[in-house]
Amino acid sequence: RSQLPRIVVINLQVPLKYATWGGEDPGVNTVFYLGIKPETARAAAENEENPAVRLWKRFANEFQSNDDIRRRFKGIGIAANLKELGFNSHLESFNGKPVILFKSAQVCRSGEVLEVNVMIHKFGYVSRGIFNQFKDRAPDIKIRAGFVIQGEDDSELPECMLAATMVHNLDFFKATDLEKVSKA
């Protein structure tokens, strides 16, 4: 056995309002379902000397008891067509920058499934403000998203993407209200 989850679920909980001081903002969820590649499971099961596989294995098995390993989960978002859409150059400096998600993420594992819930509501004020500028234009943005476990010493490098995806035509305001669906 590889000791790795077969499925990783990353749930981004996105606020629809910029500031929610005392008010409610149920927001929307953007969920990624990811499957482990057979070669990664094989490498983990055979204890292959691949630094990225070892680091992923540590994260998947130690996140509950080891804050040092849990704090290394990073997200990277890239708006591939930022200039083309006319966003100001200040935003470009943040485009593609890794973000440590320790304070805004909850991680849990149940057997073969590892779930990471990232609460964007908990991002810092400036980060939420930048995100707020993007959300109305999200359907036009070619979004690339990736997730990494941060390597910190030579034995954990090079880092490799845990998962990567591209998203097009993401319209937060057309999300289905599941409460209304469940009552129908």
Side-chain angles (χ1 to χ4, degrees), residues 63-161:
F63 72 89
Q64 288 178 317
S65 60
N66 185 341
D67 279 351
D68 177 62
I69 197 72
R70 189 171 63 247
R71 72 172 173 74
R72 298 184 193 197
F73 188 79
K74 297 191 294 190
I76 303 169
I78 299 172
N81 58 340
L82 200 60
K83 284 183 187 178
E84 174 185 314
L85 293 173
F87 282 98
N88 71 44
S89 59
H90 175 69
L91 291 177
E92 285 183 45
S93 64
F94 295 98
N95 198 21
K97 295 285 188 211
V99 177
I100 297 283
L101 299 172
F102 177 64
K103 291 183 179 179
S104 61
Q106 293 176 334
V107 184
C108 59
R109 182 170 178 182
S110 179
E112 298 277 328
V113 178
L114 182 115
E115 183 174 345
V116 181
N117 293 301
V118 180
M119 293 157 280
I120 295 174
H121 301 74
K122 291 187 175 184
F123 280 19
Y125 187 77
V126 171
S127 298
R128 283 194 328 267
I130 291 168
F131 187 84
N132 190 60
Q133 291 182 40
F134 282 98
K135 86 175 172 253
D136 291 331
R137 300 281 309 273
D140 302 321
I141 301 172
K142 295 176 182 169
I143 302 166
R144 295 181 189 161
F147 301 94
V148 175
I149 308 299
Q150 178 173 294
E152 295 189 341
D153 62 47
D154 289 345
S155 69
E156 297 174 334
L157 300 174
E159 293 178 343
C160 291
M161 279 286 171

